[in-house]
Amino acid sequence: MILIAIGNTHTQIAHTEDGRNFRVERRPSGAAIAEILAGLPSPWSSWLAEEPIYLGGVVPEREALWRACLASGQIRDWDAERFHALLPNAYEPPQSLGFDRRCCLLAAARDWPDRNLLVVDAGTAITLDLLADGRFHGGRILPGLGLSLRALAQHTAQLPTLSPQSCAVDFGNSTEECLLLGVTAGAAAAVDAALRDGRRRYPDLGLLLTGGDAPLLQARLGQGELVPNLLLRGFFLLTSVT
């Protein structure tokens, strides 16, 4: 099967046979879909022509464009609201819980059923979600590293535009270092604060990190388990679990 997960910044096009191992192509979400499809390596053309395709994401307009570019006979419908039957929660309104959060939470709940976890997805936005006692207890959302860096560049007169990257020092001696350290340390501090708050009620609370900037956060935090394909695993479960 093929899973196409459309994010604000990047789209993941994944092939899987078992829902655990994924061959993933990652492309900018704003790129022309026809060019993305034409540029996929072999054997993607045969997979796209023969296997069921599931579309999901956080950008409805882009999802509609993908649907228009793919063979309608291969696209399979699925019910995103099944999440609420699969994982107890009190989110309001239920439909406003994002696709990416649903996927990551369901994967964590199914694959670590006996653990209490803070599930952190470090993408365009960073989401921090508390999973404990088999329930989703709510979360927090803050700007991602790249979004924070772009906002600083766009809304100040002299700061440069940077992309997230590692920085080996604790205090910068250039504007670039100061920016990189500031946004990464700030996001890591938010994760650390959420862990402290969660551990007051759940002392054994663990940490799962996923998303493109997860390695940078893990390096700054010095803790947490990296799970690169957590979203895709959850997407598979949402389309497959009964």
Side-chain angles (χ1 to χ4, degrees):
M1 66 188 302
I2 294 170
L3 304 172
I4 300 177
I6 304 161
N8 287 295
T9 304
H10 290 97
T11 291
Q12 298 183 82
I13 309 156
H15 179 268
T16 185
E17 296 181 357
D18 60 4
R20 292 188 179 276
N21 299 288
F22 300 90
R23 177 169 171 177
V24 183
E25 298 290 332
R26 193 166 180 259
R27 299 290 188 272
S29 288
I33 295 171
E35 293 181 7
I36 292 175
L37 293 172
L40 293 174
S42 178
W44 276 98
S45 59
S46 60
W47 286 340
L48 287 164
E50 299 169 3
E51 301 205 18
I53 300 170
Y54 294 87
L55 290 167
V58 297
V59 189
E61 297 82 0
R62 292 295 296 178
E63 185 174 339
L65 290 173
W66 273 96
R67 188 174 294 273
C69 288
L70 296 168
S72 59
Q74 304 304 120
I75 299 173
R76 300 292 186 267
D77 292 327
W78 61 284
D79 182 9
E81 298 310 311
R82 290 176 63 242
F83 169 85
H84 298 289
L86 296 169
L87 185 61
N89 66 89
Y91 210 82
E92 290 294 339
Q95 66 272 17
S96 68
L97 182 65
F99 163 84
D100 46 357
R101 298 172 75 188
R102 297 179 193 218
C103 290
C104 292
L105 281 162
L106 183 60
R110 289 300 176 108
D111 290 350
W112 289 269
D114 300 320
R115 291 183 61 187
N116 297 325
L117 295 164
L118 182 69
V119 182
V120 176
D121 184 4
T124 305
I126 300 174
T127 57
L128 304 88
D129 288 321
L130 178 61
L131 179 66
D133 293 338
R135 291 183 59 89
F136 167 42
H137 292 271
R140 303 175 182 181
I141 303 174
L142 61 147
L145 305 186
L147 183 59
S148 295
L149 288 167
R150 290 194 298 274
L152 285 165
Q154 292 169 7
H155 296 284
T156 59
Q158 298 186 56
L159 294 180
T161 301
L162 301 174
S163 297
Q165 57 187 283
S166 62
C167 196
V169 298
D170 289 324
F171 295 91
N173 278 301
S174 68
T175 299
E176 288 78 7
E177 284 184 345
C178 290
L179 285 167
L180 294 170
L181 287 165
V183 299
T184 304
V191 175
D192 188 61
L195 279 171
R196 290 198 309 271
D197 292 344
R199 284 171 178 165
R200 283 199 287 269
R201 183 174 178 184
Y202 303 101
D204 63 343
L205 187 67
L207 175 63
L208 295 186
L209 296 160
T210 193
D213 291 329
L216 296 176
L217 287 184
Q218 185 196 47
R220 177 57 54 178
L221 288 162
Q223 62 176 312
E225 182 176 350
L226 284 176
V227 190
N229 290 325
L230 190 68
L231 185 151
L232 292 172
R233 169 66 175 156
F235 192 5
F236 172 83
L237 290 171
L238 275 174
T239 63
S240 307
V241 173
T242 57

